[in-house]
Amino acid sequence: MLRALRRRWGAYKYRFVPWLALNLRRKRRTLRYVPESSKDKIISDEDVFETLLKLFKALFINDFNRQAHILALLPEIRSKYLELQTVEQKQSKVNSCNHQSQRVFSPEEVLFNTLGFTIGRDRSSLVSAGTGVFVTKGTVYRKHEPIFFQSLGNPFIFRCIDGVLIDGNDKGLSRSVYRSCSRRDQLGPFQMSDESWLTATLQNPLAVGQYVNNCSHEKAANVCYQEFDVPGYFPVELKQYLPNIVYSHDLESHPRCVVLVTLRDIKQGEELFSNYYTVVS
């Protein structure tokens, strides 16, 4: 039993405030100092937006037959995607040198074909760290909203620079809250977020960031966090791939996402490590 408690503490201590206060000075190499929030970005929001748009469009086209009920309500968008699908099919035929019907790829294959890499969850190379990996999701809470019960024993809560909290736990109360908010905001056939990250079958293969482990003395960080507010003009048909939902039903709020940006070239088979500490000076 003592061994099990030690393992649990080893995974949770990085989120425990008194432990952080005592160890910040001791772990200076793991800190990321940010002069001001506007400078806390390695790549621009425009680049993040275009990358997500590129992947989500590819996922949408790959799953075109299942999108019929959405496209029936968006005739102009339907014709645009039909053109894109035709181009993709022609390119696929040229590359494969055959004239078979379009193949439906897995989300992981779509990610690889679109952005040139793929990711997945597996056992971490760090002792007692559990599952390891890449990119964020969850329920987004603003400072005044209740998070106490969801936070108990929950190592998957990410605190943004402005105090916004993102709960990336796919179990227990957190799971129920996310599903409730997601279904609340659905507009007819239009899903405003992705529930598949709560299951073993991901619709958006990037939605595994809460499992990326913190760096250590032996394993330096190779990715870092960058916050991204989804703009109001984000295509409605592609919101089904967003793994975050806003807790309060507020039309003025846009979902906050956290993406992980690489700090260097990462080799195939290499585990991703981030930096749990964000210190604004």
Side-chain angles (χ1 to χ4, degrees), residues 199-217:
T199 71
T201 308
L202 299 179
Q203 183 172 273
N204 172 8
L206 290 182
V208 291
Q210 79 277 38
Y211 284 102
V212 173
N213 284 303
N214 189 41
C215 59
S216 67
H217 289 295

Side-chain angles (χ1 to χ4, degrees), residues 28-242:
R28 291 189 69 82
R29 69 183 294 277
T30 68
L31 300 180
R32 179 165 58 96
Y33 287 91
V34 181
E36 54 187 74
S37 60
S38 62
K39 294 182 181 178
D40 187 28
K41 295 184 186 296
I42 289 180
I43 61 175
S44 68
D45 282 349
E46 289 75 18
D47 287 341
V48 174
F49 177 82
E50 290 302 327
T51 300
L52 291 180
L53 209 61
K54 184 177 181 180
L55 174 63
F56 290 178
K57 280 182 178 179
L59 289 169
F60 190 89
I61 292 170
N62 184 65
D63 199 22
F64 202 71
N65 291 333
R66 195 174 64 84
Q67 309 296 340
H69 59 300
I70 291 178
L71 294 170
L73 300 175
L74 302 169
E76 291 183 8
I77 291 177
R78 181 176 180 274
S79 61
K80 179 184 73 174
Y81 279 107
L82 280 172
E83 289 176 13
L84 289 172
Q85 187 187 38
T86 302
V87 171
E88 295 255 336
Q89 286 176 331
K90 287 180 179 177
Q91 186 64 44
S92 178
K93 288 175 183 177
V94 169
N95 291 340
S96 60
C97 298
N98 63 48
H99 296 275
Q100 296 176 357
S101 59
Q102 184 195 25
R103 177 190 166 195
V104 176
F105 295 95
S106 69
E108 291 76 17
E109 288 174 315
V110 173
L111 173 61
F112 183 80
N113 293 337
T114 306
L115 300 182
F117 67 89
T118 189
I119 52 176
R121 289 171 286 188
D122 208 343
R123 188 161 191 80
S124 174
S125 58
L126 291 177
V127 178
S128 303
T131 303
V133 211
F134 187 85
V135 178
T136 304
K137 67 210 151 226
T139 306
V140 179
Y141 295 86
R142 284 166 293 186
K143 292 184 230 183
H144 63 279
E145 294 172 335
I147 188 70
F148 176 74
F149 289 107
Q150 296 94 311
S151 70
L152 295 177
N154 182 357
F156 295 114
I157 294 178
F158 182 94
R159 185 183 185 279
C160 298
I161 287 175
D162 58 1
V164 169
L165 300 171
I166 299 179
D167 182 5
N169 192 5
D170 55 8
K171 299 178 179 64
L173 180 59
S174 299
R175 177 191 182 95
S176 299
V177 169
Y178 182 90
R179 279 199 158 148
S180 175
C181 293
S182 180
R183 292 168 185 176
R184 172 204 67 197
D185 288 357
Q186 184 167 337
L187 298 175
F190 298 103
Q191 293 180 325
M192 297 294 105
S193 62
D194 174 23
E195 285 189 38
S196 72
W197 69 270
L198 300 173
T199 71
T201 308
L202 299 179
Q203 183 172 273
N204 172 8
L206 290 182
V208 291
Q210 79 277 38
Y211 284 102
V212 173
N213 284 303
N214 189 41
C215 59
S216 67
H217 289 295
E218 297 77 27
K219 305 281 187 178
N222 51 19
V223 294
C224 72
Y225 297 107
Q226 181 168 313
E227 297 164 20
F228 174 70
D229 286 319
V230 179
Y233 53 84
F234 198 86
V236 66
E237 74 276 10
L238 300 181
K239 288 185 177 180
Q240 62 183 293
Y241 301 110
L242 291 173

